[in-house]
Amino acid sequence: MQFKRTMITFLGLATAALAQAQGTWPTKPVTLVVPFAAGGPTDVVARTLAASMSQSLGQTVVVENKLGAGGNVAANHVAKSPADGYTFFIHHNGMATSTALYRKLQYDAMKDFEYVSQAVEVPMTLLARKDFPANNFNELVTYVKANKEKINLATAGLGAVSQLCGMMFQRALGVQLTEVPFQGTGPAMNALLGGQVDVMCDQTTQTVPQIKAGNVKLYGVTTKSRVKVLPQAPTLHEQGLKDFEVVVWHGVYAPKGTPKAIVDRMNMAVRAALKDPAVVKRMDDLGAEIVEDRTNTPEALQAHLKAEIDKWGPVIRAGGKFAD
Ligand code: ASP
């Protein structure tokens, strides 16, 4: 079994090396694994980039949603995939926070991947279902403190930024709500719209259209300053949750051992997508900020991931919430 796996990996790598030597990679569709449900915010970013990258690579970039364990099923899948240049991974802060959250991770974020590029940074919003009793942030704080035992908080599971933001919100108010995990905030948003859950933190890449349509209640944004796409929305920081800040950042990864020439070519494709006017417009409309070109190198992503692991580890460990 091990021999067979080694042979398959070897053949994959040999083919990749040949394509690379001939300058022909990619010769077939490339898979971009998304760790959350289709239709959610990470998926929106991935599909927007994939459409543009398909053009510059001359092969379709196929988005594959692999769900579970707050993104860790997908991370583990990619870590164990052949390093042949046909599997890539897009993930957010969860790549860093899971290291502290999970006791028995089956992959190592700092050892099992090649780093391709950063992509976009996205603010989060704190929302409630449309008919939730609190009409502004102050009312929310009062209502949540008085009714904590009956409030449901939707998340995309431990490791997801919705859970991280929700955890920080609960901690700031000194309450413990009932967390309802979904396999992405796409399905969590459906539950919020359907009134099955009460509150949720989620990225503007999904929430802006719902906010603009008046389908949800908005209490604030999680960035230190207000965001252009929702100028009416105060930050949580300015409303009293001092220093509350969650910015969602995305990185593109490949399995460890993916040939450098392919990683570099993929890096160029991501960077080209981030300059594509259609991508720029869509990201702008959804409140996502394209990461500066100079921080789009593999080295910068690796350094950023390490810094994020160091930053969030103590915050998460202080929360005392872990999974196996
Ligand atoms: N961004 C979401 C989260 O981590 C998950 C998703 O993209 O569906 O909460």
Side-chain angles (χ1 to χ4, degrees), residues 70 72 91-102 105 158-161 164 249 305 308-309 312-313 316:
N72 289 304
H91 199 3
H92 59 32
N93 315 43
M95 196 73 166
T97 56
S98 287
T99 300
L101 278 167
Y102 285 78
L105 270 193
L158 269 185
V161 282
L164 177 72
W249 59 274
L305 177 64
E308 286 280 292
I309 289 175
W312 287 110
I316 287 163

Side-chain angles (χ1 to χ4, degrees), residues 36 41-42 92 156 160-162 184-185 203:
F36 298 105
T42 311
H92 59 32
V161 282
S162 46
T185 42
Q203 287 139 267

Side-chain angles (χ1 to χ4, degrees), residues 34-44 70 91-94 124 154-157 159-164 182-188 200-203 205-206 248 250:
V34 170
F36 298 105
T42 311
D43 185 72
V44 166
H91 199 3
H92 59 32
N93 315 43
M124 298 192 87
T155 79
V161 282
S162 46
Q163 200 279 330
L164 177 72
F182 292 81
Q183 298 214 317
T185 42
M200 171 166 87
C201 279
D202 198 19
Q203 287 139 267
T205 34
Q206 163 158 271
V248 184
H250 297 81

Side-chain angles (χ1 to χ4, degrees), residues 39-292:
T42 311
D43 185 72
V44 166
V45 170
R47 284 177 200 270
T48 306
L49 292 176
S52 177
M53 285 158 61
S54 299
Q55 288 173 18
S56 67
L57 290 172
Q59 285 286 347
T60 309
V61 176
V62 181
V63 170
E64 187 184 325
N65 302 83
K66 271 221 167 282
L67 315 180
N72 289 304
V73 168
N76 191 39
H77 165 79
V78 174
K80 311 272 184 306
S81 291
D84 60 2
Y86 290 95
T87 303
F88 291 86
F89 184 38
I90 184 163
H91 199 3
H92 59 32
N93 315 43
M95 196 73 166
T97 56
S98 287
T99 300
L101 278 167
Y102 285 78
R103 289 194 200 90
K104 295 181 191 156
L105 270 193
Q106 288 168 349
Y107 66 89
D108 185 325
M110 292 307 301
K111 290 194 184 137
D112 293 342
F113 298 91
E114 302 293 341
Y115 306 91
V116 177
S117 178
Q118 294 191 67
V120 292
E121 292 188 345
V122 187
M124 298 192 87
T125 46
L126 178 62
L127 310 169
R129 59 181 158 80
K130 194 178 174 175
D131 53 356
F132 197 67
N135 289 316
N136 55 47
F137 182 74
N138 283 341
E139 287 183 23
L140 176 74
V141 171
T142 309
Y143 187 83
V144 167
K145 284 185 175 173
N147 295 281
K148 47 188 178 294
E149 60 297 323
K150 54 178 201 204
I151 295 174
N152 291 324
L153 169 83
T155 79
L158 269 185
V161 282
S162 46
Q163 200 279 330
L164 177 72
C165 173
M167 177 193 83
M168 289 170 61
F169 174 67
Q170 293 176 76
R171 209 184 286 174
L173 267 60
V175 296
Q176 205 154 6
L177 308 177
T178 305
E179 290 190 22
V180 184
F182 292 81
Q183 298 214 317
T185 42
M189 176 59 87
N190 289 338
L192 195 75
L193 295 174
Q196 288 101 34
V197 290
D198 301 313
V199 287
M200 171 166 87
C201 279
D202 198 19
Q203 287 139 267
T204 57
T205 34
Q206 163 158 271
T207 64
V208 163
Q210 301 297 351
I211 292 166
K212 290 195 166 165
N215 294 335
V216 290
K217 275 188 180 161
L218 167 67
Y219 301 109
V221 293
T222 65
T223 37
K224 270 289 181 66
S225 14
R226 293 191 181 205
V227 301
K228 209 170 62 191
V229 74
L230 295 168
Q232 81 284 12
T235 67
L236 297 180
H237 168 74
E238 76 184 78
Q239 297 183 98
L241 299 192
K242 209 168 162 333
D243 294 327
F244 195 106
E245 187 180 24
V246 185
V247 179
V248 184
W249 59 274
H250 297 81
V252 177
Y253 305 84
K256 186 81 187 169
T258 302
K260 175 142 181 13
I262 292 178
V263 169
D264 288 346
R265 178 81 185 79
M266 190 67 172
N267 173 277
M268 280 166 59
V270 175
R271 290 164 95 138
L274 294 173
K275 293 197 180 93
D276 177 341
V279 173
V280 172
K281 162 110 182 48
R282 180 133 173 81
M283 290 299 123
D284 225 37
D285 289 348
L286 295 177
E289 200 163 305
I290 287 168
V291 170
E292 270 182 53

